[in-house]
Amino acid sequence: MTQIFNSELEVNLRVLSILFIVQSSVSIDYITTMDLFTTYGKNYGFTQENLHGDSSYNFSEIASRRTLINRSIRSLVTKGLVNAEESSNGFHYSINEDGRIICNVLDSDYHRKYSETVKTIVQKTHSLSDAQLVNYATKRSINKE
């Protein structure tokens, strides 16, 4: 069966896009919540629409999304598009010049919408820690507020 969403290539490009926009070293929890909030922004109260459509099942995606993001990060680090840096809080990831080159040539309606939504989510959550982001995602998933 062909995957419509969350293919390896798509997740890799979404992770690169997040890192390109954020322009700093961030944790896997940060990347995971940004991707989740971006694809299902309406359900989390950030946007007017969900990029991946309306579904009550997206609230069960937190754990599986983290697995997808983890796999993607390993792939991107191995391909030399993302840097991994060890810190006192675990690993943090940042886009490097080769990853930026890829982001600069991406040109599709989906990529533009995804990138604009990431910017919106980053602005709305800039004061939250990684733990607060995960907590917010978890609470919204459980309570479906």
Side-chain angles (χ1 to χ4, degrees), residues 49-69:
E49 66 179 327
N50 292 321
L51 290 179
H52 286 193
D54 294 334
S55 169
S56 60
Y57 297 108
N58 60 58
F59 286 109
S60 64
E61 279 200 40
I62 294 172
S64 63
R65 183 68 58 108
R66 191 173 197 285
T67 301
L68 285 172
I69 299 297

Side-chain angles (χ1 to χ4, degrees), residues 3-17 35 39 52 72 110 114:
Q3 276 185 284
I4 297 174
F5 295 117
N6 297 327
S7 69
E8 180 181 348
L9 176 61
E10 181 187 352
V11 176
N12 285 355
L13 293 175
R14 291 193 329 240
V15 169
L16 282 176
S17 295
D35 186 54
T39 54
H52 286 193
S72 174
Y110 177 81
Y114 185 88

Side-chain angles (χ1 to χ4, degrees), residues 84-122:
E85 303 145 12
E86 191 172 7
S87 75
S88 59
N89 297 332
F91 283 94
H92 283 75
Y93 305 93
S94 60
I95 194 168
N96 61 32
E97 189 55 36
D98 290 338
R100 282 187 200 90
I101 289 168
I102 289 173
C103 285
N104 282 323
V105 299
L106 292 175
D107 185 32
S108 70
D109 289 338
Y110 177 81
H111 180 259
R112 282 187 292 279
K113 184 69 173 170
Y114 185 88
S115 295
E116 286 304 313
T117 305
V118 170
K119 290 175 189 174
T120 298
I121 304 299
V122 168

